[in-house]
């Protein structure tokens, strides 16, 4: 049996790693469109879906005016004589309801993270997106108690994209850790595997679901997993938790 | 018994008329601050309340960065070593949870509106605020089915403050109605009673609760009520519903 290597940090990507963003967003948008139709929007569900998909593709998923834009793009008579603010509000309310009631981790994530935490591994997050929006997901996934409060890395706060290897170099440096003792788990070859590899981190590709399931990156991950039981197994087989040199830790 | 006068429209203010905005906001802010404290914010609940009250007073209640500003104003060590994004997200999540679970009309409002609708009165809304935010309240209060879809008036859409009598003149004109056959119900002497009086509307001051409970306006309302049973009674005693001349109605 090979000797287990020291591991000082495990970071997790958020979207499609800790929860099924793809499934969640599909459900939230579907609920919103159905609410807008119920409020009087005169489109078929298929038409509304197609129009919203175009809006998201043209303005990105973080745009805050999806429903406004949807209504602007369609012929005015399709509003069914309803004040557009009411149609937008029906969509917004249904979306928020879905966030509050349905945003939940993959079924094995909470237990997997809890166990790694109990085994003594230091856990964190490396996330790309709107900072408070990403942080709200962590709150709703109910995993914050297992994460090191100094190991939450958001690309906006670091002033760089997560696709830049410096993101991972800076994260390790902030905690006074060697990159080769840090491991990152994510679903995107371009934002998780390639840049973390380039920074000298150990990489785990989460091949579970999501939009990037078929994407091929420039460099292979050190490991591929399909769920958090796989992750558990490889970490406990190949690694032993180490704490950083206290003299190198930040104040 | 005096003859009942014709009434073509009843509009309602939203905040502190259809639901207790004052109570709701107090509860939502309290839930948010408690969540931020539980997430590690190192203040007493009293300190946090006082700081947030100042933020709201300095930046208005519609500012979208209350929790960010609260954290900016306090000494950095009060963040308890927690990433501010997590503290803000804890507050935001608790606020949204409260909106989804606790935004409900005064107990007599839904029944009162339903009965006025059944008696044949045309009902609408005259609201001041952020349009979609106000519209979302109507969605959540579950009263839209009793309101005339052409009679929803939002100050941003009309391009003027609700404290301007033109707001009410324009609302009546839009529907082809005489101002003296329109009645407005609201809690604010300055934004509900005075401008609607000046526009020739019949006014009802809702003296139920809220921040403006003690405010005195320039002109007296035609009626004062304390709940929607009072409203019911005065409307059925003094008025009879009339439909507008169809030739004057908008397309």
């Amino acid at each position: 049996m090979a000797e287990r290597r020291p591991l000082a940090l495990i970071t997790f990507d958020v979207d499609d790693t800790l929860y099924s963003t793809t499934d969640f967003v599909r459900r939230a948008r579907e609920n919103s469109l159905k609410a807008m139709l119920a409020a009087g929007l005169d489109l078929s569900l298929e038409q509304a879906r197609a129009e919203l998909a175009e809006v998201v593709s043209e303005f990105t998923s973080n745009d805050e005016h999806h429903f406004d834009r949807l209504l602007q793009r369609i012929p005015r008579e399709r509003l069914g004589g309803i004040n557009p603010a009411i149609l937008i509000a029906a969509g917004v309310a249904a979306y928020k309801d879905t966030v509050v009631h349905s945003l939940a981790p993959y079924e094995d994530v909470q237990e997997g993270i809890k166990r790694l935490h109990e085994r003594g591994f230091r856990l964190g997050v490396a996330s790309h997106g709107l900072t408070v929006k990403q942080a709200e997901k962590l709150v709703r996934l109910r995993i914050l108690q297992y994460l090191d409060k100094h190991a939450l890395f958001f690309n906006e706060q670091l002033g760089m994209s997560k696709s830049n290897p410096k993101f991972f170099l800076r994260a390790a440096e902030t905690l006074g850790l060697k990159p080769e003792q840090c491991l990152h788990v994510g679903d995107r070859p371009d934002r998780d595997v390639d840049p973390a590899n380039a920074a000298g981190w150990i990489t785990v590709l989460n091949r579970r679901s999501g939009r990037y399931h078929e994407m091929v990156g420039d460099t292979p991950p050190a490991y591929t997993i399909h769920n958090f039981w796989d992750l558990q197994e490889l970490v406990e087989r190949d690694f032993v938790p180490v704490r950083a040199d206290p003299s190198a830790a930040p104040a």
Side-chain angles (χ1 to χ4, degrees), chain A residues 184-249:
Chain A
H184 178 65
V185 185
D187 69 310
R188 288 186 62 157
D190 60 337
R191 275 198 194 150
D192 293 305
V193 176
D194 290 336
N197 275 341
W201 284 45
I202 305 155
T203 53
V204 176
L205 180 62
N206 185 36
R207 271 260 178 256
R208 181 170 205 146
S209 70
R211 294 166 64 197
Y212 303 96
H213 196 260
E214 303 303 324
M215 184 189 267
V216 176
D218 295 332
T219 56
Y223 300 91
T224 297
I225 61 169
H226 294 90
N227 55 57
F228 270 46
W229 304 124
D230 294 347
L231 177 67
Q232 193 81 34
E233 193 180 302
L234 82 87
V235 167
E236 295 189 3
R237 184 190 63 216
D238 292 357
F239 300 98
V240 61
V242 292
R243 282 293 174 188
D245 174 5
S247 66

Side-chain angles (χ1 to χ4, degrees), chain A residues 11-74:
Chain A
T11 57
F12 301 98
D13 168 53
V14 175
D15 292 317
D16 280 319
T17 294
L18 297 178
Y19 79 108
S20 180
T21 312
T22 307
D23 286 351
F24 168 78
V25 168
R26 188 185 300 121
R27 184 183 312 141
R29 289 192 187 136
E30 193 82 358
N31 289 347
S32 296
L33 293 175
K34 285 179 179 170
M36 293 172 81
L37 268 50
L41 178 61
D42 184 21
L43 292 177
S44 71
L45 185 55
E46 291 67 30
Q47 289 172 320
R49 270 192 209 120
E51 206 67 49
L52 182 57
E54 275 192 25
V55 169
V56 172
S57 141
E58 290 170 30
F59 293 91
T60 83
S61 62
N62 278 327
D63 175 70
E64 295 203 331
H65 298 282
H66 288 162
F67 304 139
D68 314 43
R69 298 191 200 283
L70 192 160
L71 299 186
Q72 283 169 339
R73 302 159 66 94
I74 60 178

Side-chain angles (χ1 to χ4, degrees), chain A residues 52-115:
Chain A
L52 182 57
E54 275 192 25
V55 169
V56 172
S57 141
E58 290 170 30
F59 293 91
T60 83
S61 62
N62 278 327
D63 175 70
E64 295 203 331
H65 298 282
H66 288 162
F67 304 139
D68 314 43
R69 298 191 200 283
L70 192 160
L71 299 186
Q72 283 169 339
R73 302 159 66 94
I74 60 178
R76 194 163 175 75
E77 60 269 24
R78 291 298 180 173
L79 303 188
I82 311 295
N83 189 319
I86 297 292
L87 298 174
I88 295 164
V92 166
Y95 202 100
K96 276 189 207 167
D97 288 350
T98 314
V99 168
V100 168
H101 293 125
S102 307
L103 205 152
Y106 282 121
E107 68 281 2
D108 51 340
V109 159
Q110 210 172 22
E111 182 63 21
I113 284 186
K114 179 165 174 275
R115 281 184 56 174

